[in-house]
Structures are given as structure tokens and as C-alpha cells.
mmCIF file of all heavy atoms in Angstrom:
data_model
loop_
_atom_site.group_PDB
_atom_site.id
_atom_site.type_symbol
_atom_site.label_atom_id
_atom_site.label_comp_id
_atom_site.label_asym_id
_atom_site.label_seq_id
_atom_site.Cartn_x
_atom_site.Cartn_y
_atom_site.Cartn_z
ATOM 1 N N ALA H 1363 6.101 -19.164 -17.927
ATOM 2 C CA ALA H 1363 6.719 -20.568 -17.690
ATOM 3 C C ALA H 1363 6.632 -20.930 -16.178
ATOM 4 O O ALA H 1363 6.398 -22.045 -15.717
ATOM 5 C CB ALA H 1363 8.222 -20.528 -18.076
ATOM 6 N N ALA H 1364 6.857 -19.843 -15.211
ATOM 7 C CA ALA H 1364 6.827 -20.095 -13.896
ATOM 8 C C ALA H 1364 5.384 -20.437 -13.344
ATOM 9 O O ALA H 1364 5.185 -21.347 -12.570
ATOM 10 C CB ALA H 1364 7.356 -18.927 -13.080
ATOM 11 N N GLU H 1365 4.441 -19.794 -13.929
ATOM 12 C CA GLU H 1365 3.189 -20.042 -13.603
ATOM 13 C C GLU H 1365 2.608 -21.475 -14.116
ATOM 14 O O GLU H 1365 1.844 -22.057 -13.427
ATOM 15 C CB GLU H 1365 2.157 -19.013 -14.228
ATOM 16 C CG GLU H 1365 2.493 -17.604 -13.675
ATOM 17 C CD GLU H 1365 1.195 -16.955 -12.888
ATOM 18 O OE1 GLU H 1365 1.052 -17.432 -11.640
ATOM 19 O OE2 GLU H 1365 0.425 -16.280 -13.438
ATOM 20 N N ALA H 1366 3.152 -21.820 -15.245
ATOM 21 C CA ALA H 1366 2.660 -23.136 -15.794
ATOM 22 C C ALA H 1366 3.233 -24.315 -15.021
ATOM 23 O O ALA H 1366 2.505 -25.419 -15.171
ATOM 24 C CB ALA H 1366 3.344 -23.210 -17.262
ATOM 25 N N VAL H 1367 4.195 -24.149 -14.080
ATOM 26 C CA VAL H 1367 4.583 -25.346 -13.327
ATOM 27 C C VAL H 1367 4.317 -25.040 -11.799
ATOM 28 O O VAL H 1367 5.006 -25.825 -10.969
ATOM 29 C CB VAL H 1367 6.128 -25.585 -13.553
ATOM 30 C CG1 VAL H 1367 6.364 -25.975 -14.992
ATOM 31 C CG2 VAL H 1367 6.935 -24.357 -13.186
ATOM 32 N N LYS H 1368 3.425 -24.183 -11.432
ATOM 33 C CA LYS H 1368 3.187 -23.961 -10.172
ATOM 34 C C LYS H 1368 2.620 -25.232 -9.361
ATOM 35 O O LYS H 1368 3.003 -25.381 -8.125
ATOM 36 C CB LYS H 1368 2.032 -22.993 -9.959
ATOM 37 C CG LYS H 1368 2.436 -21.442 -10.154
ATOM 38 C CD LYS H 1368 1.519 -20.388 -9.600
ATOM 39 C CE LYS H 1368 0.033 -20.452 -9.957
ATOM 40 N NZ LYS H 1368 -0.578 -19.389 -9.508
ATOM 41 N N GLN H 1369 1.974 -26.114 -10.098
ATOM 42 C CA GLN H 1369 1.436 -27.235 -9.442
ATOM 43 C C GLN H 1369 2.539 -28.338 -8.960
ATOM 44 O O GLN H 1369 2.287 -29.204 -8.275
ATOM 45 C CB GLN H 1369 0.421 -27.949 -10.434
ATOM 46 C CG GLN H 1369 1.045 -28.708 -11.618
ATOM 47 C CD GLN H 1369 1.478 -27.794 -12.765
ATOM 48 O OE1 GLN H 1369 1.183 -26.598 -12.610
ATOM 49 N NE2 GLN H 1369 2.084 -28.311 -13.733
ATOM 50 N N THR H 1370 3.772 -28.051 -9.593
ATOM 51 C CA THR H 1370 4.807 -29.030 -9.167
ATOM 52 C C THR H 1370 5.335 -28.658 -7.812
ATOM 53 O O THR H 1370 6.136 -29.496 -7.259
ATOM 54 C CB THR H 1370 6.005 -28.910 -10.190
ATOM 55 O OG1 THR H 1370 6.594 -27.643 -10.149
ATOM 56 C CG2 THR H 1370 5.475 -29.263 -11.521
ATOM 57 N N TYR H 1371 5.098 -27.523 -7.262
ATOM 58 C CA TYR H 1371 5.641 -27.041 -5.955
ATOM 59 C C TYR H 1371 4.611 -27.339 -4.910
ATOM 60 O O TYR H 1371 3.432 -26.725 -4.900
ATOM 61 C CB TYR H 1371 6.030 -25.664 -6.029
ATOM 62 C CG TYR H 1371 6.636 -25.070 -4.769
ATOM 63 C CD1 TYR H 1371 7.915 -25.440 -4.550
ATOM 64 C CD2 TYR H 1371 5.970 -24.291 -3.855
ATOM 65 C CE1 TYR H 1371 8.548 -25.075 -3.316
ATOM 66 C CE2 TYR H 1371 6.720 -23.816 -2.696
ATOM 67 C CZ TYR H 1371 7.932 -24.159 -2.509
ATOM 68 O OH TYR H 1371 8.657 -23.876 -1.380
ATOM 69 N N SER H 1372 4.783 -28.191 -3.892
ATOM 70 C CA SER H 1372 3.871 -28.648 -2.837
ATOM 71 C C SER H 1372 4.244 -28.127 -1.473
ATOM 72 O O SER H 1372 3.495 -28.438 -0.515
ATOM 73 C CB SER H 1372 3.831 -30.159 -2.902
ATOM 74 O OG SER H 1372 5.023 -30.703 -2.689
ATOM 75 N N LYS H 1373 5.327 -27.393 -1.310
ATOM 76 C CA LYS H 1373 5.773 -27.000 0.053
ATOM 77 C C LYS H 1373 5.148 -25.590 0.402
ATOM 78 O O LYS H 1373 5.446 -25.136 1.552
ATOM 79 C CB LYS H 1373 7.228 -26.960 0.073
ATOM 80 C CG LYS H 1373 7.916 -28.398 -0.017
ATOM 81 C CD LYS H 1373 9.355 -28.353 0.000
ATOM 82 C CE LYS H 1373 9.832 -29.760 -0.030
ATOM 83 N NZ LYS H 1373 11.302 -29.869 -0.163
ATOM 84 N N GLY H 1374 4.463 -24.951 -0.459
ATOM 85 C CA GLY H 1374 3.896 -23.725 -0.120
ATOM 86 C C GLY H 1374 3.213 -23.086 -1.321
ATOM 87 O O GLY H 1374 3.043 -23.714 -2.370
ATOM 88 N N LYS H 1375 2.741 -21.761 -1.225
ATOM 89 C CA LYS H 1375 2.111 -21.142 -2.347
ATOM 90 C C LYS H 1375 3.191 -20.624 -3.310
ATOM 91 O O LYS H 1375 4.241 -20.255 -2.871
ATOM 92 C CB LYS H 1375 1.193 -20.037 -1.771
ATOM 93 C CG LYS H 1375 0.093 -20.374 -0.776
ATOM 94 C CD LYS H 1375 -0.782 -19.261 -0.558
ATOM 95 C CE LYS H 1375 -0.087 -18.123 0.234
ATOM 96 N NZ LYS H 1375 0.188 -18.438 1.614
ATOM 97 N N VAL H 1376 2.648 -20.407 -4.427
ATOM 98 C CA VAL H 1376 3.434 -19.703 -5.525
ATOM 99 C C VAL H 1376 2.642 -18.502 -5.953
ATOM 100 O O VAL H 1376 1.501 -18.720 -6.512
ATOM 101 C CB VAL H 1376 3.914 -20.556 -6.691
ATOM 102 C CG1 VAL H 1376 4.651 -19.646 -7.700
ATOM 103 C CG2 VAL H 1376 4.699 -21.767 -6.245
ATOM 104 N N VAL H 1377 3.070 -17.329 -5.714
ATOM 105 C CA VAL H 1377 2.284 -16.023 -5.964
ATOM 106 C C VAL H 1377 3.166 -15.000 -6.717
ATOM 107 O O VAL H 1377 4.384 -14.983 -6.628
ATOM 108 C CB VAL H 1377 1.726 -15.399 -4.708
ATOM 109 C CG1 VAL H 1377 0.819 -16.480 -4.000
ATOM 110 C CG2 VAL H 1377 2.826 -14.936 -3.805
ATOM 111 N N LYS H 1378 2.481 -14.219 -7.551
ATOM 112 C CA LYS H 1378 3.161 -13.075 -8.066
ATOM 113 C C LYS H 1378 3.131 -11.945 -7.191
ATOM 114 O O LYS H 1378 2.153 -11.780 -6.335
ATOM 115 C CB LYS H 1378 2.373 -12.696 -9.409
ATOM 116 C CG LYS H 1378 2.591 -13.619 -10.545
ATOM 117 C CD LYS H 1378 1.968 -13.136 -11.929
ATOM 118 C CE LYS H 1378 0.476 -12.996 -11.853
ATOM 119 N NZ LYS H 1378 0.070 -12.561 -13.137
ATOM 120 N N GLY H 1379 4.253 -11.209 -7.107
ATOM 121 C CA GLY H 1379 4.381 -10.116 -6.229
ATOM 122 C C GLY H 1379 5.515 -9.108 -6.417
ATOM 123 O O GLY H 1379 6.079 -9.167 -7.541
ATOM 124 N N THR H 1380 5.864 -8.291 -5.440
ATOM 125 C CA THR H 1380 6.906 -7.310 -5.614
ATOM 126 C C THR H 1380 8.140 -7.769 -4.752
ATOM 127 O O THR H 1380 7.917 -7.922 -3.604
ATOM 128 C CB THR H 1380 6.419 -5.983 -5.296
ATOM 129 O OG1 THR H 1380 5.447 -5.548 -6.207
ATOM 130 C CG2 THR H 1380 7.578 -4.864 -5.434
ATOM 131 N N ILE H 1381 9.232 -7.876 -5.379
ATOM 132 C CA ILE H 1381 10.438 -8.207 -4.690
ATOM 133 C C ILE H 1381 11.320 -6.829 -4.346
ATOM 134 O O ILE H 1381 11.621 -6.153 -5.274
ATOM 135 C CB ILE H 1381 11.434 -9.143 -5.397
ATOM 136 C CG1 ILE H 1381 10.616 -10.528 -5.550
ATOM 137 C CG2 ILE H 1381 12.683 -9.371 -4.800
ATOM 138 C CD1 ILE H 1381 11.255 -11.528 -6.513
ATOM 139 N N GLY H 1382 11.639 -6.723 -3.110
ATOM 140 C CA GLY H 1382 12.454 -5.509 -2.746
ATOM 141 C C GLY H 1382 13.885 -5.911 -2.544
ATOM 142 O O GLY H 1382 14.152 -6.933 -1.963
ATOM 143 N N SER H 1383 14.883 -5.091 -2.897
ATOM 144 C CA SER H 1383 16.317 -5.319 -2.777
ATOM 145 C C SER H 1383 16.979 -4.282 -2.059
ATOM 146 O O SER H 1383 16.659 -2.989 -2.525
ATOM 147 C CB SER H 1383 16.841 -5.765 -4.051
ATOM 148 O OG SER H 1383 16.173 -6.670 -4.798
ATOM 149 N N ALA H 1384 18.047 -4.443 -1.300
ATOM 150 C CA ALA H 1384 18.769 -3.378 -0.766
ATOM 151 C C ALA H 1384 19.992 -4.048 0.085
ATOM 152 O O ALA H 1384 19.900 -5.171 0.440
ATOM 153 C CB ALA H 1384 17.982 -2.576 0.223
ATOM 154 N N ASP H 1385 21.069 -3.317 0.264
ATOM 155 C CA ASP H 1385 22.166 -3.726 0.905
ATOM 156 C C ASP H 1385 21.819 -3.344 2.485
ATOM 157 O O ASP H 1385 22.613 -2.794 3.274
ATOM 158 C CB ASP H 1385 23.417 -2.933 0.602
ATOM 159 C CG ASP H 1385 24.081 -3.511 -0.640
ATOM 160 O OD1 ASP H 1385 23.811 -4.752 -0.897
ATOM 161 O OD2 ASP H 1385 24.586 -2.768 -1.438
ATOM 162 N N VAL H 1386 20.654 -3.752 2.903
ATOM 163 C CA VAL H 1386 20.212 -3.659 4.379
ATOM 164 C C VAL H 1386 19.339 -4.847 4.714
ATOM 165 O O VAL H 1386 18.588 -5.353 3.985
ATOM 166 C CB VAL H 1386 19.283 -2.382 4.452
ATOM 167 C CG1 VAL H 1386 18.850 -2.246 5.890
ATOM 168 C CG2 VAL H 1386 19.985 -1.089 3.980
ATOM 169 N N TRP H 1387 19.709 -5.396 5.935
ATOM 170 C CA TRP H 1387 18.879 -6.454 6.465
ATOM 171 C C TRP H 1387 17.905 -5.866 7.447
ATOM 172 O O TRP H 1387 18.279 -5.533 8.582
ATOM 173 C CB TRP H 1387 19.826 -7.463 7.129
ATOM 174 C CG TRP H 1387 19.286 -8.777 7.555
ATOM 175 C CD1 TRP H 1387 18.199 -8.924 8.301
ATOM 176 C CD2 TRP H 1387 19.746 -10.056 7.367
ATOM 177 N NE1 TRP H 1387 17.893 -10.252 8.586
ATOM 178 C CE2 TRP H 1387 18.947 -11.000 8.001
ATOM 179 C CE3 TRP H 1387 20.896 -10.559 6.723
ATOM 180 C CZ2 TRP H 1387 19.150 -12.395 8.059
ATOM 181 C CZ3 TRP H 1387 21.076 -11.880 6.637
ATOM 182 C CH2 TRP H 1387 20.229 -12.853 7.297
ATOM 183 N N ASN H 1388 16.700 -5.799 7.181
ATOM 184 C CA ASN H 1388 15.666 -5.203 8.012
ATOM 185 C C ASN H 1388 15.089 -6.216 9.049
ATOM 186 O O ASN H 1388 14.617 -7.223 8.621
ATOM 187 C CB ASN H 1388 14.501 -4.701 7.191
ATOM 188 C CG ASN H 1388 14.983 -3.488 6.330
ATOM 189 O OD1 ASN H 1388 15.315 -2.503 6.959
ATOM 190 N ND2 ASN H 1388 14.997 -3.526 5.132
ATOM 191 N N ASN H 1389 15.246 -5.857 10.228
ATOM 192 C CA ASN H 1389 14.524 -6.832 11.237
ATOM 193 C C ASN H 1389 13.578 -6.045 12.149
ATOM 194 O O ASN H 1389 12.980 -6.639 12.994
ATOM 195 C CB ASN H 1389 15.713 -7.360 12.263
ATOM 196 C CG ASN H 1389 16.398 -8.512 11.641
ATOM 197 O OD1 ASN H 1389 15.696 -9.373 11.052
ATOM 198 N ND2 ASN H 1389 17.714 -8.607 11.825
ATOM 199 N N GLU H 1390 13.307 -4.755 11.828
ATOM 200 C CA GLU H 1390 12.416 -3.902 12.648
ATOM 201 C C GLU H 1390 11.137 -4.073 11.897
ATOM 202 O O GLU H 1390 10.768 -3.739 10.777
ATOM 203 C CB GLU H 1390 12.772 -2.441 12.559
ATOM 204 C CG GLU H 1390 14.130 -2.206 13.297
ATOM 205 C CD GLU H 1390 14.682 -0.862 12.897
ATOM 206 O OE1 GLU H 1390 14.427 -0.304 11.804
ATOM 207 O OE2 GLU H 1390 15.395 -0.249 13.944
ATOM 208 N N VAL H 1391 10.011 -4.749 12.600
ATOM 209 C CA VAL H 1391 8.761 -5.053 11.999
ATOM 210 C C VAL H 1391 8.130 -3.875 11.474
ATOM 211 O O VAL H 1391 7.497 -3.793 10.438
ATOM 212 C CB VAL H 1391 7.913 -5.726 12.982
ATOM 213 C CG1 VAL H 1391 6.567 -6.046 12.459
ATOM 214 C CG2 VAL H 1391 8.619 -7.167 13.392
ATOM 215 N N ASP H 1392 8.093 -2.679 12.306
ATOM 216 C CA ASP H 1392 7.484 -1.645 11.785
ATOM 217 C C ASP H 1392 8.083 -1.045 10.530
ATOM 218 O O ASP H 1392 7.413 -0.470 9.668
ATOM 219 C CB ASP H 1392 7.486 -0.420 12.904
ATOM 220 C CG ASP H 1392 6.538 -0.787 14.009
ATOM 221 O OD1 ASP H 1392 5.653 -1.518 13.708
ATOM 222 O OD2 ASP H 1392 6.708 -0.267 15.119
ATOM 223 N N ARG H 1393 9.374 -1.121 10.459
ATOM 224 C CA ARG H 1393 10.082 -0.658 9.198
ATOM 225 C C ARG H 1393 9.698 -1.527 8.066
ATOM 226 O O ARG H 1393 9.487 -1.104 6.893
ATOM 227 C CB ARG H 1393 11.608 -0.740 9.463
ATOM 228 C CG ARG H 1393 12.444 -0.319 8.201
ATOM 229 C CD ARG H 1393 12.483 1.162 8.013
ATOM 230 N NE ARG H 1393 13.412 1.608 7.014
ATOM 231 C CZ ARG H 1393 13.300 2.710 6.435
ATOM 232 N NH1 ARG H 1393 12.341 3.577 6.662
ATOM 233 N NH2 ARG H 1393 14.235 3.184 5.552
ATOM 234 N N ILE H 1394 9.606 -2.891 8.234
ATOM 235 C CA ILE H 1394 9.214 -3.882 7.299
ATOM 236 C C ILE H 1394 7.831 -3.455 6.710
ATOM 237 O O ILE H 1394 7.494 -3.459 5.432
ATOM 238 C CB ILE H 1394 9.289 -5.256 7.717
ATOM 239 C CG1 ILE H 1394 10.763 -5.599 7.941
ATOM 240 C CG2 ILE H 1394 8.706 -6.191 6.822
ATOM 241 C CD1 ILE H 1394 10.954 -6.862 8.679
ATOM 242 N N LYS H 1395 6.927 -3.127 7.682
ATOM 243 C CA LYS H 1395 5.516 -2.834 7.302
ATOM 244 C C LYS H 1395 5.526 -1.540 6.414
ATOM 245 O O LYS H 1395 4.603 -1.372 5.650
ATOM 246 C CB LYS H 1395 4.652 -2.697 8.565
ATOM 247 C CG LYS H 1395 4.345 -3.960 9.222
ATOM 248 C CD LYS H 1395 3.450 -3.905 10.467
ATOM 249 C CE LYS H 1395 2.990 -5.229 10.961
ATOM 250 N NZ LYS H 1395 2.081 -5.014 12.133
ATOM 251 N N TRP H 1396 6.417 -0.628 6.875
ATOM 252 C CA TRP H 1396 6.504 0.597 5.992
ATOM 253 C C TRP H 1396 6.818 0.400 4.679
ATOM 254 O O TRP H 1396 6.298 0.949 3.691
ATOM 255 C CB TRP H 1396 7.556 1.629 6.697
ATOM 256 C CG TRP H 1396 7.593 2.904 6.067
ATOM 257 C CD1 TRP H 1396 6.870 4.011 6.134
ATOM 258 C CD2 TRP H 1396 8.532 3.243 4.926
ATOM 259 N NE1 TRP H 1396 7.287 5.005 5.324
ATOM 260 C CE2 TRP H 1396 8.302 4.687 4.620
ATOM 261 C CE3 TRP H 1396 9.638 2.677 4.390
ATOM 262 C CZ2 TRP H 1396 9.087 5.267 3.654
ATOM 263 C CZ3 TRP H 1396 10.431 3.303 3.524
ATOM 264 C CH2 TRP H 1396 10.118 4.617 3.128
ATOM 265 N N PHE H 1397 7.777 -0.511 4.455
ATOM 266 C CA PHE H 1397 8.219 -0.938 2.992
ATOM 267 C C PHE H 1397 7.090 -1.527 2.225
ATOM 268 O O PHE H 1397 6.818 -1.257 1.109
ATOM 269 C CB PHE H 1397 9.403 -1.766 2.986
ATOM 270 C CG PHE H 1397 10.741 -1.143 3.175
ATOM 271 C CD1 PHE H 1397 11.584 -1.483 4.248
ATOM 272 C CD2 PHE H 1397 11.124 -0.228 2.201
ATOM 273 C CE1 PHE H 1397 12.747 -0.700 4.453
ATOM 274 C CE2 PHE H 1397 12.388 0.438 2.329
ATOM 275 C CZ PHE H 1397 13.233 0.196 3.505
ATOM 276 N N HIS H 1398 6.383 -2.410 3.006
ATOM 277 C CA HIS H 1398 5.179 -3.094 2.415
ATOM 278 C C HIS H 1398 4.149 -2.057 2.004
ATOM 279 O O HIS H 1398 3.593 -2.278 0.904
ATOM 280 C CB HIS H 1398 4.617 -4.132 3.402
ATOM 281 C CG HIS H 1398 3.378 -4.786 2.961
ATOM 282 N ND1 HIS H 1398 3.381 -5.727 1.848
ATOM 283 C CD2 HIS H 1398 2.183 -4.976 3.344
ATOM 284 C CE1 HIS H 1398 2.268 -6.272 1.676
ATOM 285 N NE2 HIS H 1398 1.498 -5.802 2.645
ATOM 286 N N LYS H 1399 3.938 -1.180 2.736
ATOM 287 C CA LYS H 1399 2.920 -0.124 2.506
ATOM 288 C C LYS H 1399 3.353 0.818 1.394
ATOM 289 O O LYS H 1399 2.625 1.093 0.520
ATOM 290 C CB LYS H 1399 2.499 0.702 3.776
ATOM 291 C CG LYS H 1399 1.373 1.800 3.528
ATOM 292 C CD LYS H 1399 1.226 2.579 4.854
ATOM 293 C CE LYS H 1399 0.287 3.688 4.615
ATOM 294 N NZ LYS H 1399 -0.078 4.342 5.735
ATOM 295 N N THR H 1400 4.588 1.153 1.354
ATOM 296 C CA THR H 1400 5.125 2.319 0.455
ATOM 297 C C THR H 1400 5.444 1.757 -0.813
ATOM 298 O O THR H 1400 5.173 2.345 -1.975
ATOM 299 C CB THR H 1400 6.379 2.903 1.107
ATOM 300 O OG1 THR H 1400 6.102 3.403 2.392
ATOM 301 C CG2 THR H 1400 6.886 4.024 0.231
ATOM 302 N N TYR H 1401 6.049 0.449 -0.950
ATOM 303 C CA TYR H 1401 6.369 -0.176 -2.178
ATOM 304 C C TYR H 1401 5.458 -1.349 -2.651
ATOM 305 O O TYR H 1401 5.618 -1.807 -3.687
ATOM 306 C CB TYR H 1401 7.822 -0.558 -2.026
ATOM 307 C CG TYR H 1401 8.886 0.445 -1.866
ATOM 308 C CD1 TYR H 1401 9.254 1.021 -0.640
ATOM 309 C CD2 TYR H 1401 9.624 0.943 -3.049
ATOM 310 C CE1 TYR H 1401 10.210 1.932 -0.494
ATOM 311 C CE2 TYR H 1401 10.582 1.962 -2.865
ATOM 312 C CZ TYR H 1401 10.915 2.363 -1.536
ATOM 313 O OH TYR H 1401 11.936 3.390 -1.467
ATOM 314 N N GLY H 1402 4.672 -1.742 -1.723
ATOM 315 C CA GLY H 1402 3.823 -2.957 -1.956
ATOM 316 C C GLY H 1402 4.718 -4.333 -2.015
ATOM 317 O O GLY H 1402 4.412 -5.225 -2.741
ATOM 318 N N THR H 1403 5.797 -4.299 -1.241
ATOM 319 C CA THR H 1403 6.730 -5.396 -1.327
ATOM 320 C C THR H 1403 6.153 -6.628 -0.627
ATOM 321 O O THR H 1403 5.521 -6.564 0.408
ATOM 322 C CB THR H 1403 8.061 -5.027 -0.603
ATOM 323 O OG1 THR H 1403 7.782 -4.309 0.669
ATOM 324 C CG2 THR H 1403 8.914 -4.139 -1.412
ATOM 325 N N SER H 1404 6.437 -7.755 -1.267
ATOM 326 C CA SER H 1404 6.121 -9.109 -0.760
ATOM 327 C C SER H 1404 7.194 -9.650 0.027
ATOM 328 O O SER H 1404 6.940 -10.206 1.114
ATOM 329 C CB SER H 1404 5.716 -9.985 -1.754
ATOM 330 O OG SER H 1404 4.778 -9.440 -2.700
ATOM 331 N N VAL H 1405 8.422 -9.471 -0.286
ATOM 332 C CA VAL H 1405 9.643 -9.864 0.327
ATOM 333 C C VAL H 1405 10.703 -8.985 0.185
ATOM 334 O O VAL H 1405 10.671 -8.075 -0.672
ATOM 335 C CB VAL H 1405 10.079 -11.352 -0.222
ATOM 336 C CG1 VAL H 1405 8.940 -12.381 0.067
ATOM 337 C CG2 VAL H 1405 10.314 -11.198 -1.720
ATOM 338 N N GLU H 1406 11.658 -9.212 0.881
ATOM 339 C CA GLU H 1406 13.066 -8.469 0.599
ATOM 340 C C GLU H 1406 14.244 -9.312 0.594
ATOM 341 O O GLU H 1406 14.307 -10.525 1.252
ATOM 342 C CB GLU H 1406 13.365 -7.330 1.787
ATOM 343 C CG GLU H 1406 13.690 -8.001 3.084
ATOM 344 C CD GLU H 1406 14.235 -6.954 3.972
ATOM 345 O OE1 GLU H 1406 13.509 -5.891 4.265
ATOM 346 O OE2 GLU H 1406 15.335 -7.158 4.682
ATOM 347 N N GLU H 1407 15.257 -8.961 -0.244
ATOM 348 C CA GLU H 1407 16.508 -9.642 -0.352
ATOM 349 C C GLU H 1407 17.573 -8.628 -0.653
ATOM 350 O O GLU H 1407 17.339 -7.478 -0.577
ATOM 351 C CB GLU H 1407 16.394 -10.807 -1.318
ATOM 352 C CG GLU H 1407 15.522 -10.565 -2.509
ATOM 353 C CD GLU H 1407 16.248 -9.860 -3.641
ATOM 354 O OE1 GLU H 1407 17.000 -8.889 -3.450
ATOM 355 O OE2 GLU H 1407 15.912 -10.231 -4.819
ATOM 356 N N MET H 1408 18.773 -9.046 -1.015
ATOM 357 C CA MET H 1408 19.850 -8.107 -1.318
ATOM 358 C C MET H 1408 20.488 -8.174 -2.729
ATOM 359 O O MET H 1408 21.676 -7.585 -2.827
ATOM 360 C CB MET H 1408 20.886 -8.468 -0.234
ATOM 361 C CG MET H 1408 20.568 -8.300 1.152
ATOM 362 S SD MET H 1408 21.969 -8.758 2.252
ATOM 363 C CE MET H 1408 21.677 -7.803 3.696
ATOM 364 N N GLU H 1409 19.776 -8.657 -3.631
ATOM 365 C CA GLU H 1409 20.455 -8.831 -4.955
ATOM 366 C C GLU H 1409 19.455 -8.469 -6.188
ATOM 367 O O GLU H 1409 20.018 -7.865 -7.180
ATOM 368 C CB GLU H 1409 21.017 -10.202 -5.112
ATOM 369 C CG GLU H 1409 22.098 -10.597 -4.262
ATOM 370 C CD GLU H 1409 21.580 -11.187 -2.887
ATOM 371 O OE1 GLU H 1409 20.407 -11.679 -2.812
ATOM 372 O OE2 GLU H 1409 22.365 -11.138 -1.985
ATOM 373 N N GLY H 1410 18.236 -8.871 -6.136
ATOM 374 C CA GLY H 1410 17.397 -8.875 -7.261
ATOM 375 C C GLY H 1410 17.383 -7.647 -8.115
ATOM 376 O O GLY H 1410 17.375 -7.591 -9.385
#
């Protein structure tokens, strides 16, 4: 369903990926890159 309506979104790309979650707000770029390499994360948040 999400892929079927991708064309309705014009403010950026819509891609499939890996969402990472934790009760941590990461601001260290090297740490963020480590998560991206280790888990393949596209983004991080605190709930999903």
C-alpha cells in the first residue's frame, strides 16, 4: 500500500530500509556510522 502511493509524495524520496530504535539520541557521527554498518540502519528513532 505504501509503495502504491509513492508518487503522491513530492517532497523527497520514498525508499524501503531499516529503521533503528532505542532510548538514545545519537549525535556522534562515527557512532551513527557504526550503527549503519553493523545493522544496516537507514534512520533512527525512539519508538518503532
Side-chain angles (χ1 to χ4, degrees):
E1365 295 246 82
V1367 296
K1368 285 200 305 187
Q1369 73 283 356
T1370 66
Y1371 188 71
S1372 59
K1373 296 183 178 179
K1375 301 189 294 291
V1376 178
V1377 301
K1378 291 189 290 187
T1380 299
I1381 297 173
S1383 312
D1385 283 328
V1386 178
W1387 186 313
N1388 291 294
N1389 279 318
E1390 299 166 327
V1391 173
D1392 288 340
R1393 181 71 170 160
I1394 292 170
K1395 287 183 175 181
W1396 180 83
F1397 280 120
H1398 179 60
K1399 179 181 178 181
T1400 306
Y1401 294 85
T1403 46
S1404 308
V1405 293
E1406 72 167 53
E1407 35 88 318
M1408 293 178 154
E1409 294 85 23

